[in-house]
Amino acid sequence: MASNRSVRRAQEPVTYTCALCDSKDGVRWYCNDCQENLCDRCKETHTRGRKTKNDDVVSIGEANRQGDKSVPEVCKLHPGKLCDLYCSDCNLLICLMCLSKTHKHHNWKHFEDEFSIKKQHFKEHMIAISVKIEHFKNETSERHRVNEGFNDNIDTMRKEVNSQRTKLKAEVDYIADAILAELSALEKEESAMYKKDCQRSEKNFKELTHLLEQAETADTSSVSFFETERSLRTTLPLYDVNVKYVSPKQPSFVTGSIDRVLLTEMLGELHHKNQYEKTDIDNKQVQRLSKFTVTQQTIIHGICPVDDSHAWLSIHKYQGLVLVNKEGVVKETVKLDFCPYMIAMVGTTDILITSYDVCTYVYKLSLHNKQVTTFADIKPHRARDISINERDEVFVSTFTPDIVVLNQSGTIIRKVSIGSEIIRYVVGLSPERLCVVQTIGGSLSDRNIKITDELGTVILQWTGELNNGQTVGSMRLCKMSCDKYDRLFVPDYKNNQVYVLQRDGKKAVCLLDQKHGVVKPTAVGLDTCGNVWIGCSYGTVHVMGL
């Protein structure tokens, strides 16, 4: 509340003196051109004068110039009274009668005191506008630079692709077109994000520029600036300069050596990190592209798609690997002297294999000459599931809480321990993240998923929570796979379901419903087009399009 001294000051009547006759009676007018107060009589004389008849004479409460001093307005509630006080609690200009009737116990200041404070705030707002305009201007410039570099990189790789392509025969056209289509998709994604980012920055730039222009033209000697200042105070926080655009990660094209046997390696592979988040999967959009059953009619342990039409299969107690197309036609068979268990593709040239007989070896099959060699011996551990991440690190589960990590030469580079439960399956996600399925208390039907960092520290744990608010009970989770968006596809043998876990790993969506007819899924794999290959217990394979 105000002090007694302030109250006495406020109660002193505000009087004006006529600039022409020095009278203090009836001084109710103000000439904006002459910047003079006028009484009723002099106002009439002033408006009839030859030199002053066209002057802008207004009510003294509406004066818009009087040196550096603002003139209070007339109170709308109490005519004839000037609003020469300011109520801090109500953020209103008030007169003495307003104070005595409504604002008696409020905190208030004299008009001139608050006016100087508001002017300072007004200056600060204008400075803030200028700073934010400069920020968005620089952000747009930087985004242009990144976009140009991105497109130049795309153009360079496109030339490399076509240069390699001329060295190959006609049968490589399909592979080249697929990579060029992927580049175009990347370019389209970047173009869309670039347009969105620039539109946002340019919109903010224009709006703030307009706001600055309004502020610059505002009359700081008029009470109208109170409304302008209030508008600036509420509008400025809407323009957050801390929101950053997501800079695209540059892809790279790695060319291969000329080799007629391996056409994909000859052309090269496009290496790029996921640019933008994939939307959630709605199982209403999932369509079965094909369904077939292998002649062995038994459990599919591993499934590794090599393109959008073919996949390698490891089958329960079958001494060999089978390459099938999407219609189930066997295109190639590789005989082995052991029964393979889990498999993982090394690019397009090799397949890493663990044995169903539970041994310490990890084998490598060269697709070039169909020769099998020992890739690594992880003794004393037994090799079970196997996975490869984006950094080409090989993760091997061991039927213990330990995971053995190998490089591409088969050398053990570290071991990762996760909790105390047995790890059944492992998937190397994006760099420095991996996912495991652990068995709870030794029960085949009680399993959960843990996502950890590269040291084994658990980041997230999934125990069956779904995005519809329900929770899956007992689960028998099997061989998983992930796509380029870091989404995890997890088959549940017990509940005839494949769950899709988003990158945050908190809640899953169900990929399948009853119309898909998938029974006891045991393994999943993702092909180059994002189609999901699902191997099941009775030798059945479903290919699902998303």
Side-chain angles (χ1 to χ4, degrees):
M1 295 182 61
S3 66
N4 291 334
R5 182 180 178 184
S6 298
V7 171
R8 287 196 301 271
R9 181 184 174 193
Q11 291 174 340
E12 295 174 359
V14 178
T15 60
Y16 298 97
T17 302
C18 178
L20 300 182
C21 68
D22 293 329
S23 172
K24 294 183 179 180
D25 296 329
V27 182
R28 289 188 287 266
W29 308 97
Y30 183 80
C31 178
N32 284 327
D33 294 303
C34 300
Q35 298 188 29
E36 293 178 340
N37 298 327
L38 300 171
C39 65
D40 292 339
R41 185 178 60 184
C42 292
K43 181 254 186 181
E44 294 298 327
T45 303
H46 197 81
T47 54
R48 290 197 300 270
R50 184 169 59 86
K51 294 183 178 180
T52 59
K53 63 180 179 181
N54 295 321
D55 283 3
D56 183 21
V57 178
V58 297
S59 170
I60 199 167
E62 299 175 359
N64 57 20
R65 289 195 303 274
Q66 193 174 18
D68 292 331
K69 182 179 178 181
S70 178
V71 179
E73 65 180 8
V74 176
C75 182
K76 295 181 175 61
L77 299 178
H78 306 103
K81 300 294 183 179
L82 295 178
C83 291
D84 50 3
L85 303 174
Y86 176 78
C87 179
S88 300
D89 293 343
C90 302
N91 195 23
L92 289 174
L93 291 172
I94 60 175
C95 70
L96 191 59
M97 290 187 67
C98 293
L99 174 65
S100 63
K101 292 186 177 182
T102 309
H103 306 267
K104 184 175 183 180
H105 299 291
H106 292 184
N107 292 304
W108 53 270
K109 299 178 183 178
H110 200 272
F111 174 81
E112 286 83 359
D113 296 338
E114 184 62 21
F115 187 81
S116 61
I117 295 174
K118 293 297 184 183
K119 286 185 70 174
Q120 180 60 34
H121 289 171
F122 196 81
K123 293 178 181 178
E124 293 172 356
H125 293 326
M126 293 182 66
I127 293 173
I129 291 175
S130 299
V131 170
K132 292 192 177 190
I133 286 175
E134 186 65 22
H135 167 81
F136 289 115
K137 180 180 178 181
N138 292 339
E139 184 182 71
T140 302
S141 177
E142 175 64 14
R143 196 63 181 88
H144 279 303
R145 186 192 66 78
V146 172
N147 177 257
E148 289 176 358
F150 189 96
N151 290 334
D152 288 344
N153 188 39
I154 291 290
D155 291 339
T156 299
M157 288 187 294
R158 188 176 281 120
K159 292 176 182 177
E160 291 177 358
V161 171
N162 287 318
S163 176
Q164 286 290 95
R165 184 175 181 175
T166 59
K167 302 173 185 178
L168 304 178
K169 294 186 178 180
E171 53 265 32
V172 82
D173 286 348
Y174 175 80
I175 301 172
D177 289 337
I179 294 180
L180 290 173
E182 189 173 5
L183 284 173
S184 296
L186 283 173
E187 191 176 33
K188 183 177 180 181
E189 282 184 280
E190 162 57 11
S191 177
M193 293 304 297
Y194 161 68
K195 181 178 180 181
K196 180 180 178 181
D197 290 339
C198 288
Q199 286 178 343
R200 176 175 64 86
S201 294
E202 290 171 359
K203 177 177 176 291
N204 290 337
F205 177 82
K206 291 179 180 178
E207 290 177 354
L208 284 169
T209 300
H210 179 67
L211 201 60
L212 181 60
E213 291 174 354
Q214 288 182 323
E216 289 175 339
T217 57
D219 191 345
T220 58
S221 65
S222 171
V223 293
S224 64
F225 93 102
F226 275 86
E227 185 62 29
T228 305
E229 187 275 335
R230 187 184 303 114
S231 175
L232 294 177
R233 177 165 20 94
T234 56
T235 303
L236 278 176
L238 302 178
Y239 298 89
D240 188 1
V241 298
N242 295 318
V243 177
K244 304 293 183 182
Y245 66 84
V246 179
S247 181
K249 296 179 176 64
Q250 299 285 358
S252 61
F253 181 79
V254 181
T255 59
S257 59
I258 302 302
D259 186 333
R260 293 180 181 275
V261 178
L262 301 174
L263 295 178
T264 301
E265 184 182 6
M266 291 167 61
L267 184 68
E269 295 179 347
L270 181 66
H271 289 182
H272 66 89
K273 296 181 180 179
N274 176 35
Q275 307 288 324
Y276 311 108
E277 190 80 13
K278 184 71 172 181
T279 56
D280 292 347
I281 292 175
D282 181 352
N283 62 16
K284 296 179 181 178
Q285 305 301 323
V286 177
Q287 296 182 344
R288 186 168 64 195
L289 304 179
S290 65
K291 173 186 176 183
F292 60 87
T293 302
V294 298
T295 56
Q296 292 79 5
Q297 297 187 8
T298 186
I299 299 172
I300 307 294
H301 286 306
I303 183 164
C304 285
V306 294
D307 53 33
D308 63 345
S309 301
H310 300 82
W312 287 97
L313 307 177
S314 63
I315 304 168
H316 183 61
K317 292 187 176 181
Y318 176 72
Q319 290 189 329
L321 295 179
V322 179
L323 179 67
V324 296
N325 66 11
K326 200 155 50 179
E327 285 69 43
V329 178
V330 176
K331 293 296 184 179
E332 191 172 352
T333 300
V334 178
K335 293 294 184 179
L336 304 172
D337 57 5
F338 63 94
C339 294
Y341 184 47
M342 294 301 172
I343 56 177
M345 292 290 300
V346 183
T348 59
T349 61
D350 304 293
I351 300 177
L352 297 183
I353 311 169
T354 63
S355 172
Y356 183 77
D357 298 325
V358 191
C359 68
T360 64
Y361 296 111
V362 177
Y363 301 98
K364 177 188 280 189
L365 168 65
S366 172
L367 296 176
H368 172 63
N369 55 21
K370 305 303 183 292
Q371 295 297 310
V372 177
T373 57
T374 299
F375 175 72
D377 185 352
I378 64 171
K379 193 181 298 180
H381 294 291
R382 298 176 297 167
R384 297 307 286 160
D385 192 17
I386 190 167
S387 177
I388 303 174
N389 71 359
E390 291 182 3
R391 295 191 298 197
D392 291 331
E393 294 177 329
V394 181
F395 297 89
V396 183
S397 66
T398 62
F399 266 147
T400 72
D402 297 331
I403 295 173
V404 175
V405 186
L406 312 169
N407 60 22
Q408 283 296 308
S409 299
T411 303
I412 297 177
I413 55 178
R414 67 178 184 277
K415 294 181 181 178
V416 179
S417 295
I418 302 173
S420 59
E421 303 287 355
I422 292 176
I423 296 174
R424 293 278 178 175
Y425 304 99
V426 59
V427 171
L429 300 174
S430 55
E432 302 180 354
R433 296 175 77 241
L434 61 113
C435 175
V436 299
V437 168
Q438 287 188 308
T439 298
I440 303 174
S443 172
L444 290 177
S445 295
D446 287 318
R447 298 176 179 177
N448 63 18
I449 287 178
K450 291 180 180 177
I451 297 176
T452 78
D453 61 19
E454 60 181 350
L455 299 178
T457 302
V458 177
I459 302 171
L460 295 166
Q461 180 170 318
W462 183 71
T463 56
E465 298 82 4
L466 301 177
N467 68 332
N468 59 9
Q470 299 179 351
T471 299
V472 183
S474 179
M475 299 180 293
R476 185 173 176 180
L477 308 179
C478 298
K479 176 60 179 176
M480 309 173 290
S481 184
C482 69
D483 65 5
K484 64 181 181 179
Y485 301 100
D486 233 14
R487 297 181 301 182
L488 197 67
F489 291 73
V490 188
D492 182 355
Y493 178 91
K494 182 175 182 179
N495 295 299
N496 301 323
Q497 186 56 259
V498 173
Y499 307 116
V500 183
L501 221 60
Q502 301 296 330
R503 181 179 172 83
D504 61 19
K506 295 179 180 178
K507 294 184 179 180
V509 297
C510 293
L511 181 71
L512 309 173
D513 54 30
Q514 292 182 349
K515 72 180 182 182
H516 296 121
V518 176
V519 179
K520 296 184 177 181
T522 53
V524 295
L526 281 297
D527 66 25
T528 54
C529 288
N531 299 321
V532 185
W533 296 58
I534 306 172
C536 299
S537 181
Y538 302 112
T540 302
V541 176
H542 302 258
V543 183
M544 300 292 184
L546 304 183

